[in-house]
């Protein structure tokens, strides 16, 4: 798994929300999930570099969700709130709106393509359908509130055997601890 990059993740969140104008956290998180699924299956790497967690309403990008809750619930310093608020605005508890300009330099053309495809395919989906579709094999394979394995996400996204082997090798390398 790649190292989480807060600036890239916030830019990706802003990219999705800017395209939608206004969104819910659920819609935004599922669009990010499906974009990551596509990119993992095709290129062997995540766009937002976050770990997805199995929650009742589907996969949730853990670190991004924590940042949103930090802003919404004022759980961090005023300086940190201002930093997050430069990207998104939270209205109520579940509505997210764009607050800044996306820095496209964070993204490769393939990442933008996966984000755009996910936005187009999922932007008008109702909550129930989005929830049901996000409860696929990868989500089912994880324990409640547990991390969803990237290999399982890629597999659900249609990754071939060679790509799955590559993802597993990367995960094994990241988890290797010499004796």
């Amino acid at each position: 798994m790649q190292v989480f990059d807060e600036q890239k993740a916030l830019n990706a969140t802003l990219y999705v929300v800017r395209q939608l104008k206004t969104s819910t956290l659920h819609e935004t998180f599922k669009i990010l999930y499906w974009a990551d699924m596509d990119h993992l299956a095709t290129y062997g790497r995540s766009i937002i570099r976050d770990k997805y967690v199995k929650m009742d309403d589907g996969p949730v990008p853990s670190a991004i969700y924590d940042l949103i809750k930090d802003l919404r619930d004022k759980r961090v310093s005023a300086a940190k709130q201002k930093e997050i608020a430069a990207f998104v605005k939270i209205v109520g508890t579940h509505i997210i709106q764009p607050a800044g300009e996306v820095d496209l330099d964070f993204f490769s053309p393939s990442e933008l393509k996966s984000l755009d495809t996910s936005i187009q395919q999922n932007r008008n989906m109702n909550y129930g359908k989005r929830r049901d579709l996000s409860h696929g094999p990868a989500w089912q394979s994880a324990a409640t509130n547990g991390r969803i394995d990237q290999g399982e996400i890629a597999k659900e996204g249609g990754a071939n055997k060679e790509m799955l082997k590559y993802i597993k090798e990367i995960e094994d390398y990241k988890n290797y601890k010499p004796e």
Side-chain angles (χ1 to χ4, degrees):
M1 183 165 164
Q2 300 163 344
V3 176
F4 180 69
D5 180 338
E6 183 176 297
Q7 294 297 305
K8 184 171 187 178
L10 285 168
N11 268 284
T13 303
L14 173 58
Y15 185 84
V16 170
V17 174
R18 184 159 284 293
Q19 299 296 317
L20 300 173
K21 309 286 189 258
T22 291
S23 182
T24 64
L25 294 178
H26 191 264
E27 181 179 35
T28 302
F29 292 165
K30 298 315 167 262
I31 286 172
L32 288 170
Y33 176 70
W34 287 316
D36 259 346
M37 179 184 286
D38 174 66
H39 208 266
L40 268 168
T42 307
Y43 301 100
R45 62 183 171 82
S46 166
I47 299 167
I48 64 170
R49 303 176 187 172
D50 201 347
K51 69 176 183 177
Y52 286 93
V53 174
K54 177 181 181 175
M55 298 187 80
D56 290 342
D57 292 328
V60 173
S62 180
I64 292 174
Y65 188 38
D66 285 345
L67 289 168
I68 298 298
K69 290 186 297 185
D70 288 346
L71 174 64
R72 180 189 68 197
D73 302 339
K74 297 176 176 43
R75 302 187 316 185
V76 291
S77 69
K80 184 65 174 176
Q81 287 178 50
K82 184 177 178 181
E83 183 182 321
I84 300 166
F87 293 93
V88 294
K89 176 182 177 185
I90 307 302
V91 179
T93 57
H94 295 94
I95 303 297
I96 186 169
Q97 296 176 334
E101 294 300 320
V102 178
D103 184 349
L104 295 176
D105 290 340
F106 278 97
F107 305 105
S108 70
S110 65
E111 291 171 332
L112 289 172
K113 182 181 177 199
S114 290
L115 285 165
D116 288 338
T117 299
S118 185
I119 290 166
Q120 291 308 312
Q121 290 176 346
N122 303 297
R123 75 181 311 149
N124 295 316
M125 192 180 298
N126 71 42
Y127 169 84
K129 184 174 182 182
R130 204 171 41 243
R131 183 182 188 277
D132 290 348
L133 284 175
S134 70
H135 287 193
W139 179 86
Q140 293 171 16
S141 73
T144 301
N145 297 320
R147 181 179 173 272
I148 303 172
D149 182 76
Q150 283 198 332
E152 292 296 322
I153 295 170
K155 185 176 176 182
E156 184 177 334
N160 63 35
K161 288 180 182 180
E162 291 80 21
M163 185 60 72
L164 292 173
K165 182 180 175 187
Y166 171 74
I167 292 168
K168 182 168 180 0
E169 288 174 355
I170 296 296
E171 287 289 312
D172 289 348
Y173 176 76
K174 296 284 185 189
N175 295 323
Y176 175 75
K177 292 180 176 60
E179 296 178 19

